[in-house]
Amino acid sequence: MNRVIQWVRNFLKYKDLFAQLVIRDIKLKYRRSFLGYLWSVLNPLFTMLIMWVVFSNLFRFDIQYFPVYLLTGQILFGFMSEATNASIMSITGNSSLLKKTYIPKYIFTLSRVTSSLVNLLLSMIALIFVTLITGVPITWRMLWFLVPIIQLYFFCVGLGLFLAQGSVFFRDLQYIWGVIITAWLYITPIFYPIKIMPEQLQAIIKFCNPMYAYIAQFRDCILYGVPSGPNLYIAGIGWALIMMTIGIWRFVKNQDRFILYI
């Protein structure tokens, strides 16, 4: 408990640096880009259009409002992918700064995940646009979309901390993670309904795939306008707590050795 309090105090002490790091990460992503921040809206739209053309014609899934179904899954999974990929290099990529002065090392990982969250919120503009165009009924339950996003944010913070400390000692982790992300994408019901899978495989995905809980909650409020069942909320919060615990534990245990490897 004392260590957590110390972390909070350190964060408040360096909150201005944290804000500057988030701004820097966002600016670097769109540096020398003609359309700049507009890509946060256009990128998910273009990807959704391609996937919609391919999957609606090849597989013909009977999913109402299929473009919104695609986009809701794509946006959340894209956030997780971007946040974790950026987190992997958050320590080694700031080695020169860490060698010169004391800065809480977790600040760099936290800033990468938070800048990805800002990109996620910008991409929500694309989701609003597609929702209106496709005629999805607008209800007050759509405001509940923040709940799964908050859960996913903390899940990504924990996972990001775990990956960041691991890549300090094992640089190949960034390449291995790319393969894992690709496999994770296809076992997550983003562009297909989970009902097409055998019941046993459905149970495995629902129980073992954290992204299923977050995407299902997100779709319930945006696409269907109904509250999610308690099992999804328990799973989402549970995965976030588990990943935060593992990530913080490994990061704190190894952070004093970072300087020897970066």
Side-chain angles (χ1 to χ4, degrees):
M1 187 64 183
N2 291 334
R3 187 178 293 273
V4 174
I5 294 174
Q6 185 62 41
W7 271 42
V8 173
R9 288 177 177 173
N10 277 345
F11 177 77
L12 294 176
K13 182 179 179 181
Y14 291 93
K15 64 181 184 299
D16 293 333
L17 173 62
F18 169 74
Q20 290 301 315
L21 288 173
V22 172
I23 295 172
R24 182 201 66 174
D25 292 339
I26 295 173
K27 286 183 176 180
L28 284 176
K29 180 176 180 180
Y30 299 106
R31 184 176 57 180
R32 298 177 183 174
S33 170
F34 179 74
L35 294 177
Y37 302 112
L38 191 58
W39 278 115
S40 290
V41 179
L42 295 178
N43 187 55
L45 273 178
F46 289 152
T47 305
M48 182 273 298
L49 284 172
I50 294 170
M51 295 176 71
W52 173 61
V53 171
V54 172
F55 292 106
S56 63
N57 286 281
L58 287 181
F59 299 99
R60 298 186 182 279
F61 296 130
D62 186 20
I63 300 177
Q64 191 177 21
Y65 309 118
F66 189 53
V68 180
Y69 182 91
L70 274 175
L71 199 54
T72 49
Q74 174 195 334
I75 285 177
L76 288 200
F77 195 92
F79 163 61
M80 186 276 293
S81 178
E82 178 185 338
T84 53
N85 278 305
S87 295
I88 288 181
M89 303 302 296
S90 60
I91 301 300
T92 54
N94 291 282
S95 58
S96 58
L97 186 57
L98 286 170
K99 290 177 180 179
K100 293 178 181 178
T101 184
Y102 171 77
I103 299 174
K105 301 173 181 65
Y106 66 86
I107 286 286
F108 296 102
T109 304
L110 187 61
S111 70
R112 294 293 179 88
V113 179
T114 304
S115 63
S116 297
L117 177 65
V118 174
N119 292 328
L120 165 66
L121 296 178
L122 288 174
S123 66
M124 290 292 294
I125 298 173
L127 180 59
I128 293 172
F129 175 76
V130 175
T131 299
L132 294 174
I133 291 296
T134 54
V136 174
I138 306 299
T139 70
W140 66 269
R141 290 191 178 92
M142 288 182 171
L143 299 176
W144 205 247
F145 77 96
L146 285 173
V147 174
I149 287 179
I150 292 171
Q151 294 172 20
L152 181 56
Y153 173 77
F154 284 105
F155 174 81
C156 290
V157 168
L159 184 54
L161 289 171
F162 179 80
L163 293 171
Q165 61 84 32
S167 67
V168 172
F169 310 107
F170 185 58
R171 302 300 171 89
D172 289 346
L173 182 59
Q174 59 180 312
Y175 307 111
I176 296 173
W177 185 246
V179 176
I180 293 174
I181 283 288
T182 302
W184 199 347
L185 172 67
Y186 289 108
I187 62 173
T188 303
I190 294 175
F191 45 81
Y192 60 84
I194 194 172
K195 293 180 180 180
I196 69 171
M197 294 184 168
E199 290 187 5
Q200 186 176 5
L201 188 55
Q202 288 185 39
I204 293 174
I205 290 177
K206 290 178 180 180
F207 184 76
C208 300
N209 187 346
M211 290 306 300
Y212 172 79
Y214 302 125
I215 291 174
Q217 289 182 56
F218 195 59
R219 280 176 176 154
D220 282 344
C221 61
I222 297 295
L223 189 57
Y224 307 119
V226 296
S228 298
N231 289 342
L232 284 176
Y233 292 121
I234 292 172
I237 295 171
W239 278 114
L241 290 175
I242 290 171
M243 205 66 252
M244 282 288 290
T245 301
I246 295 174
I248 292 174
W249 167 56
R250 295 301 302 174
F251 196 92
V252 170
K253 183 177 181 180
N254 293 320
Q255 64 178 346
D256 292 337
R257 297 195 294 141
F258 289 172
I259 197 66
L260 301 175
Y261 294 87
I262 58 178

